[in-house]
Amino acid sequence: MECTQRTKVSRMRSKANMKNGMYDLLDWLERERSDHIGLFWKCVFKDSIRNQYVTLQKLHISLLDGSFQFEPNLPEKLEKEETEKRKRKEPSEEENGKGNSVKKKKKKKTRGVGEEDDDEEQAGPSGQATQKKKSKKLCFSSPLKRGEKGNIWTWGIFKNQIPVTCGDKEGFLNRQRLAKGEKCIVVEKQWYTPGEFEKFAGKASCRNWKLSIRCKGTTLGKLIQEGHLKVKSYKRSTKAKKSLLSDRVPTVSAGEGDDDFDEEEQDSSSDRQSSTNTTEEEDDAGEQTEEQSDDREDVHKTVFKVTCGDVAATLHKKRFVSGILGKCIRTEKSWMTPVDFVKEVLCETDVSWKKDITCEGKPLGDLIEKNILSCHSLFCDCRLCAPDSEDLDNQKNDDECWICRSEGKLVECDYCPRSFHQTCHLPHVEDAILEDESLWACTFCVFTKYKESFSSMETTAAALSCNISEHMQQCQYLLLYLYNTDQQQIFATNPTLYLSDQTTVVTTPMWFGRVAEKLQEKQYQTVGDFVSDVHLIFTNCASYNRDNPEFTAMGVTVKEFFDREFENAFKIQEETADS
């Protein structure tokens, strides 16, 4: 049977017959040679075969890391189908005698798919009906019930992305990216926002992507209205940085104000003003439990604090792919995949990353089950799923500047995962250094390496009186440390740009950026001059916010961080002796 079937399948030209024939072979293997299934998959996943087929590579990876999701509606087994067919034929077979019935059964077990089609064409009306139903069951697309529409956006294979068209242009829309307001439509590895895709397709005059972009003839607006897709309303969800100063003008965080999306959201705002949708949202909010509320907050998070054993790290959502792809976990020393993170911490080879990595006391698998984190599709060919050598190298470092926390042209440290803009780093990274192919170390790494060689100071006063040229390394490190400590970048920019009345209270405005300029231009003579300007920043904050103790306290906290790290950087001994 095996040899005959394999030969017939290899000679078939019709793709439909080949699919049916392959299914017959796999069904026979499962039924007659179940003990050889493991051997079958070992043969299929041989390196020589797997390297020729990208689909097999992705299937192999997803089976190993547990990200493969089985299709719930698999085709019915052949023997079940034969039983139903036999029941339908019982009346006619009884008339022709038992001998004919036995002969037909034997022939069915030994013939190939091609022969089966010929016999069924001669079987008359009932045979044709059976053939049509059988072809439907063996279809490898998502099975549909009689009278059911082919709404592909509900199929499991399109859980993460759906095919879309606009004019004569075709692409794939990523559901998660749409919900977050990112560029969500990919065409030949190029990502577009819906508005950009509309313009790319030559439909810019429509100015309403919810009507011009369709999925199998259905507009995205209708899919959004029916709840199949979620889209972020940028104007309602824009967040402002928290300010130390009560009347400071809110500034929009980088990447959150997408002009294209704002324009399109405004053009299609009528879709959101449906009274039915408003009522449903209010009802959902009223019935929302505390746990559901936490889950909704997690959906909008981009960075998660995770732990494995005693080691803490951060997981970055936009880098997450699966267990063994996508270096999404950031430790102090490197970026790692979830599997590599667990292996390094637990020193084990057989790991279960979904259980071993926890987020706020819960296993990482919970975030995946709640769709807060999503494993990429098996057929995804993004730069994380199918990276080239340059993409793999880029995953070793941060995607944004360690100082200003924005993207752009970054200089990557070769000894740690940090990245910097040329002028954010201290000292500034000159173009000549970029052209040099030798390894480059950031100030943090240089300070850590040579810290032990720095001389100790008996008192703080002794350190402040030192010539700054001899301790430039420590001062540059301390200012970069302050920049990173000030997570909301409250002290980074000139306060007079947004506080018109600050000069009435503060005579000498000061901020981190100004201190960095003076360090870079070597305007300080002693370490004390540098420290005085840093302390002036916090003094000004306290003076201006006398009536706002909460803001004053935040300035005091950052100052304490600085003073403590100053003692560490200059190895002050008097405090140690006092303690």
Side-chain angles (χ1 to χ4, degrees):
M1 156 68 181
E2 179 187 10
C3 230
T4 307
Q5 230 10 15
R6 189 172 62 230
T7 303
K8 289 179 179 179
V9 170
S10 65
R11 292 178 180 176
M12 290 178 181
R13 295 184 178 180
S14 167
K15 289 184 179 180
N17 287 341
M18 287 180 67
K19 285 183 178 180
N20 294 343
M22 279 301 301
Y23 179 72
D24 288 340
L25 273 174
L26 295 174
D27 186 74
W28 176 86
L29 175 68
E30 183 180 16
R31 186 176 61 252
E32 303 292 340
R33 298 286 190 274
S34 59
D35 54 331
H36 291 169
I37 290 178
L39 179 61
F40 166 78
W41 285 112
K42 285 182 180 179
C43 294
V44 170
F45 288 137
K46 280 184 176 179
D47 291 342
S48 57
I49 298 176
R50 193 171 72 244
N51 292 337
Q52 298 182 39
Y53 302 98
V54 176
T55 303
L56 274 182
Q57 295 174 18
K58 294 180 177 179
L59 175 62
H60 187 245
I61 290 172
S62 65
L63 288 172
L64 285 177
D65 66 16
S67 63
F68 180 77
Q69 297 180 355
F70 291 90
E71 173 61 47
N73 297 322
L74 292 174
E76 297 180 18
K77 289 190 175 181
L78 190 60
E79 55 263 33
K80 187 174 181 180
E81 182 183 314
E82 288 177 352
T83 303
E84 294 177 356
K85 183 176 178 181
R86 192 159 57 244
K87 288 181 180 179
R88 289 193 296 270
K89 288 190 174 182
E90 280 180 358
S92 59
E93 289 173 351
E94 288 176 359
E95 294 175 1
N96 294 333
K98 294 182 179 180
N100 292 340
S101 176
V102 173
K103 187 175 181 181
K104 279 189 177 183
K105 289 178 185 177
K106 276 189 176 181
K107 193 169 184 181
K108 185 171 184 180
K109 289 183 179 180
T110 58
R111 65 189 170 195
V113 176
E115 296 174 10
E116 188 177 54
D117 291 341
D118 295 337
D119 290 342
E120 287 179 349
E121 287 177 2
Q122 300 172 6
S126 62
Q128 292 175 3
T130 304
Q131 179 190 7
K132 185 175 182 181
K133 189 168 184 179
K134 181 175 181 178
S135 175
K136 182 178 178 182
K137 287 182 179 178
L138 290 176
C139 178
F140 276 67
S141 60
S142 181
L144 300 174
K145 298 179 181 179
R146 186 182 299 275
E148 186 178 15
K149 295 182 179 180
N151 297 333
I152 66 171
W153 48 83
T154 62
W155 297 1
I157 195 173
F158 294 117
K159 179 180 179 181
N160 294 321
Q161 57 186 15
I162 59 174
V164 293
T165 58
C166 184
D168 59 350
K169 301 297 182 181
E170 299 179 352
F172 279 89
L173 183 146
N174 185 292
R175 294 173 182 259
Q176 286 76 23
R177 282 174 171 258
L178 178 68
K180 292 188 293 184
E182 300 175 353
K183 293 186 177 184
C184 57
I185 299 178
V186 60
V187 182
E188 297 180 355
K189 297 186 179 181
Q190 178 66 42
W191 287 95
Y192 300 91
T193 63
E196 291 172 348
F197 181 60
E198 184 182 51
K199 295 174 184 177
F200 173 68
K203 300 290 184 180
S205 58
C206 296
R207 294 185 61 79
N208 193 340
W209 56 266
K210 291 186 178 181
L211 297 178
S212 61
I213 303 178
R214 298 171 176 264
C215 174
K216 292 298 181 181
T218 303
T219 63
L220 293 191
K222 185 175 181 181
L223 296 182
I224 294 170
Q225 188 175 4
E226 294 177 353
H228 299 296
L229 294 177
K230 294 181 179 179
V231 60
K232 182 176 181 180
S233 176
Y234 282 76
K235 291 196 171 182
R236 290 183 294 179
S237 61
T238 298
K239 295 182 180 179
K241 295 178 183 177
K242 187 176 180 181
S243 170
L244 284 183
L245 311 167
S246 57
D247 58 347
R248 177 176 175 176
V249 179
T251 55
V252 179
S253 298
E256 289 187 354
D258 190 308
D259 294 338
D260 179 81
F261 269 74
D262 285 343
E263 179 182 342
E264 300 303 334
E265 287 296 322
Q266 185 177 10
D267 291 337
S268 57
S269 61
S270 58
D271 293 334
R272 297 195 300 265
Q273 294 174 354
S274 167
S275 59
T276 304
N277 290 349
T278 304
T279 303
E280 291 177 353
E281 290 177 3
E282 292 175 353
D283 291 343
D284 291 341
E287 298 173 359
Q288 188 179 9
T289 64
E290 183 177 349
E291 183 177 355
Q292 289 172 332
S293 178
D294 292 340
D295 291 344
R296 289 192 177 185
E297 290 179 4
D298 288 342
V299 167
H300 299 292
K301 281 186 179 179
T302 57
V303 180
F304 298 85
K305 293 182 179 180
V306 296
T307 57
C308 180
D310 297 330
V311 180
T314 55
L315 185 149
H316 294 249
K317 189 174 182 178
K318 67 179 181 180
R319 282 190 174 212
F320 178 75
V321 174
S322 62
I324 61 176
L325 285 178
K327 294 182 178 181
C328 60
I329 294 184
R330 169 69 150 82
T331 65
E332 283 295 323
K333 297 181 179 180
S334 63
W335 283 92
M336 291 182 281
T337 64
V339 169
D340 291 339
F341 178 53
V342 176
K343 286 182 178 179
E344 180 173 300
V345 174
L346 302 182
C347 299
E348 298 177 1
T349 55
D350 186 15
V351 298
S352 177
W353 60 275
K354 292 183 180 179
K355 295 180 180 178
D356 295 331
I357 301 176
T358 59
C359 177
E360 297 181 357
K362 298 180 181 179
L364 202 62
D366 284 5
L367 298 183
I368 297 174
E369 290 178 2
K370 295 174 181 177
N371 292 324
I372 297 171
L373 291 177
S374 298
C375 294
H376 282 210
S377 167
L378 178 63
F379 303 102
C380 179
D381 59 353
C382 71
R383 289 185 175 182
L384 293 174
C385 293
D388 56 25
S389 57
E390 184 179 354
D391 294 329
L392 287 173
D393 189 60
N394 288 336
Q395 288 187 35
K396 296 178 182 178
N397 289 81
D398 299 336
D399 299 322
E400 59 184 25
C401 177
W402 183 251
I403 302 303
C404 69
R405 306 184 186 284
S406 62
E407 299 180 355
K409 184 180 179 181
L410 300 172
V411 184
E412 299 175 343
C413 180
D414 292 304
Y415 298 91
C416 76
R418 299 181 183 92
S419 300
F420 304 86
H421 291 121
Q422 286 180 251
T423 55
C424 285
H425 185 267
L426 287 176
H428 293 345
V429 183
E430 304 297 336
D431 292 335
I433 296 178
L434 296 181
E435 296 170 0
D436 189 353
E437 295 183 358
S438 59
L439 299 179
W440 176 76
C442 69
T443 295
F444 287 96
C445 293
V446 174
F447 174 80
T448 303
K449 182 176 181 179
Y450 295 105
K451 179 182 176 182
E452 296 302 322
S453 64
F454 296 152
S455 57
S456 301
M457 297 290 173
E458 293 184 0
T459 64
T460 302
L464 295 176
S465 63
C466 290
N467 192 312
I468 196 170
S469 60
E470 300 174 0
H471 301 276
M472 185 62 74
Q473 189 87 73
Q474 289 107 309
C475 294
Q476 290 172 341
Y477 162 77
L478 285 168
L479 187 57
L480 293 179
Y481 175 85
L482 270 183
Y483 263 115
N484 186 255
T485 302
D486 181 20
Q487 295 284 331
Q488 299 174 10
Q489 299 183 20
I490 298 166
F491 305 106
T493 57
N494 186 352
T496 61
L497 297 177
Y498 49 83
L499 294 175
S500 57
D501 63 336
Q502 198 204 38
T503 54
T504 61
V505 180
V506 175
T507 56
T508 309
M510 189 57 62
W511 59 97
F512 291 161
R514 179 59 184 146
V515 177
E517 288 176 8
K518 296 176 75 171
L519 265 183
Q520 181 67 22
E521 297 170 3
K522 300 180 180 179
Q523 295 183 20
Y524 294 118
Q525 297 298 318
T526 66
V527 173
D529 296 338
F530 162 73
V531 174
S532 294
D533 272 357
V534 172
H535 283 172
L536 180 60
I537 297 173
F538 308 117
T539 302
N540 290 345
C541 175
S543 299
Y544 186 80
N545 292 284
R546 283 192 294 264
D547 298 329
N548 297 300
E550 179 184 355
F551 299 147
T552 304
M554 293 177 69
V556 171
T557 300
V558 179
K559 180 182 180 296
E560 289 175 352
F561 274 113
F562 172 77
D563 292 340
R564 186 162 54 248
E565 195 61 24
F566 179 85
E567 295 171 5
N568 175 49
F570 282 86
K571 303 166 76 172
I572 308 297
Q573 296 179 347
E574 64 175 357
E575 283 76 9
T576 305
D578 292 341
S579 60

